[in-house]
Amino acid sequence: MLPNPELQPLLRPADVIGLHPTLRRTAVYDALKKGEIPSIVIGSRIFIPTAALRRMLHLDEREHDPGIDSAEPRPDQGAKPDGRAEPTTSPGSRRGSTNVGGLE
């Protein structure tokens, strides 16, 4: 279980690795390198903000609203105000462009 961000605002990668038996060291460091896990680098040390990790994993929402349904898109996850899903584009692609055979 992730600690309270007020009590422990920053975690080290080893703390995250120890949170779940299926998390492997290389997977955590790869996710940090790709930016999939929020991090702060100070010198040669890597820190993970506890509050940001809790938000990323939607842990605080579940504690405050047990009726939350993760299957429905949240407003900040591409849903329009009328409830329809917003079309998404992959990084580097342009809206309205046609990509045939991987060439632009």
Side-chain angles (χ1 to χ4, degrees):
M1 184 154 141
L2 284 172
N4 181 337
E6 292 177 7
L7 300 176
Q8 189 174 355
L10 297 174
L11 298 170
R12 299 279 296 146
D15 300 329
V16 175
I17 294 165
L19 290 174
H20 197 274
T22 61
L23 284 176
R24 299 286 181 242
R25 181 180 188 273
T26 54
V28 170
Y29 279 99
D30 286 346
L32 285 165
K33 188 176 186 179
K34 292 177 187 175
E36 296 171 349
I37 297 176
S39 63
I40 299 169
V41 178
I42 301 174
S44 62
R45 293 182 169 231
I46 301 171
F47 296 97
I48 301 164
T50 306
L53 187 57
R54 291 182 69 86
R55 279 192 304 274
M56 184 182 99
L57 298 173
H58 306 289
L59 294 177
D60 293 330
E61 292 173 2
R62 288 189 186 128
E63 289 174 6
H64 298 300
D65 187 2
I68 195 166
D69 183 7
S70 62
E72 293 183 29
R74 295 182 1 212
D76 62 334
Q77 290 180 327
K80 292 183 178 179
D82 64 1
R84 293 181 296 149
E86 178 72 34
T88 58
T89 56
S90 61
S93 67
R94 293 181 297 227
R95 179 174 252 169
S97 67
T98 306
N99 186 355
V100 179
L103 302 173
E104 290 193 43

